[in-house]
Amino acid sequence: MPTERLRNWVLQVARVPPEPKPPEGASDSVRVFRAASAYYRYRLVRWGLAQFGGAVGLVVGYLMLPLWWRWLRLPFLIEYALLIEGLACAGFLLQLLISYTILRLDYELRWYLVSDRGLRIREGVLSMREQTMTFANVQHVGIRQGPLQRLLGIADVEVWTAGGGEAKGDAGEHSHDGGLHVGYLRGVDNAAELRAGILDHLRQSRDSGLGDPDDEQGPRPSGEATRPAPPRLLEAASELLREVRMLRQEAARSPAPQRADTPWE
């Protein structure tokens, strides 16, 4: 198959292992997810619309040549215009082949690996990116789905962390305000199941926490990310609460002081 041979050639030239190394965790807990075939069709539709726009531009430019001839009245300029138009058409056909090949390889070389301790995302062709995120730093797991994605039955899973991840490549993790980073598991057809599994691993990795990750519906603003409170802080708060309750009980048992009447004369 030409695509498979081309993929193997790209892997050999870039010296990229065919499969990414699983993230840390129990070996029997590692699950591998790939982008759905509908994601390839989704990218293909977007690519086709972009190429259609470029082709329309070339056709319009060719149709405008007679108008330029009437306006300029300079034959040698028209010849240069025809030459430029021909080069533009040749360049368009060349980029058509290259861009389609990159699109196909981007789909083929996309990996998502999830273990009981973290996840790893590999994507990209010309610039291979490998991103590792540990569940100890995860702040939010959400789902993003556009109209066309909804029609095709796919969605993107967003995983927000407060840092601590490891990224290989030029881009790595996508940074946002507040020190948060986000990784995307794009084009999966089981987004709800994948999100539920990540949240389950997230709950298991936390000894104690404030709030339920299932209640999060969107990315938290900076400064509002919930993190487990230190055990010493919880013990101090519990001791303070007990002392306040004892003081209240003591005040309730003590008789109210009697105010003496002051004679006016």
Side-chain angles (χ1 to χ4, degrees):
M1 188 175 180
T3 304
E4 185 176 356
R5 290 197 296 269
L6 181 59
R7 178 186 60 185
N8 295 334
W9 179 80
V10 171
L11 292 176
Q12 292 177 359
V13 171
R15 296 183 180 181
V16 176
E19 297 182 7
K21 182 180 178 181
E24 294 184 1
S27 58
D28 56 351
S29 68
V30 177
R31 297 185 61 188
V32 179
F33 299 90
R34 304 299 298 270
S37 58
Y39 177 70
Y40 171 70
R41 295 195 295 271
Y42 167 74
R43 294 288 303 275
L44 195 61
V45 168
R46 296 183 58 182
W47 174 82
L49 292 176
Q51 303 307 318
F52 176 76
V56 169
L58 290 175
V59 172
V60 170
Y62 179 78
L63 295 177
M64 291 293 292
L65 286 178
L67 298 179
W68 294 341
W69 161 255
R70 295 176 184 176
W71 180 60
L72 295 175
R73 295 293 182 177
L74 297 174
F76 68 94
L77 290 180
I78 295 299
E79 293 178 358
Y80 281 121
L82 289 173
L83 178 60
I84 293 174
E85 184 73 15
L87 293 176
C89 291
F92 176 78
L93 295 177
L94 180 60
Q95 72 82 29
L96 199 69
L97 176 62
I98 295 176
S99 60
Y100 172 76
T101 302
I102 293 176
L103 184 147
R104 180 67 187 184
L105 290 178
D106 179 81
Y107 169 73
E108 294 286 342
L109 301 178
R110 186 173 293 273
W111 290 81
Y112 312 128
L113 291 85
V114 180
S115 71
D116 58 344
R117 295 184 58 185
L119 62 91
R120 181 161 293 166
I121 302 172
R122 176 190 283 185
E123 60 183 354
V125 179
L126 299 179
S127 177
M128 184 72 68
R129 298 178 296 273
E130 191 168 303
Q131 180 178 353
T132 302
M133 310 174 81
T134 58
F135 292 137
N137 298 312
V138 171
Q139 303 297 313
H140 166 75
V141 183
I143 296 176
R144 176 179 294 182
Q145 187 180 51
L148 182 57
Q149 291 176 310
R150 190 178 301 109
L151 181 64
L152 295 174
I154 58 175
D156 299 337
V157 178
E158 299 179 334
V159 182
W160 293 70
T161 72
E166 177 186 356
K168 298 180 181 179
D170 295 337
E173 294 179 326
H174 303 277
S175 299
H176 292 262
D177 293 339
L180 295 179
H181 300 79
V182 59
Y184 296 97
L185 287 75
R186 303 182 188 275
V188 294
D189 56 2
N190 58 342
E193 176 187 353
L194 185 55
R195 177 179 183 268
I198 294 176
L199 289 175
D200 184 60
H201 289 313
L202 175 60
R203 281 190 291 266
Q204 295 177 6
S205 67
R206 292 178 174 175
D207 295 332
S208 62
L210 302 175
D212 189 353
D214 286 329
D215 295 336
E216 299 177 357
Q217 299 298 329
R220 292 178 177 268
S222 60
E224 293 186 7
T226 300
R227 297 184 66 88
R232 294 182 179 179
L233 180 59
L234 294 177
E235 293 178 1
S238 300
E239 183 66 25
L240 180 59
L241 180 59
R242 284 195 296 268
E243 292 181 1
V244 170
R245 288 176 178 174
M246 291 176 60
L247 290 175
R248 286 184 176 179
Q249 294 175 1
E250 187 67 25
R253 288 194 297 265
S254 300
Q258 301 292 332
R259 191 178 70 174
D261 294 335
T262 302
W264 293 98
E265 298 180 357

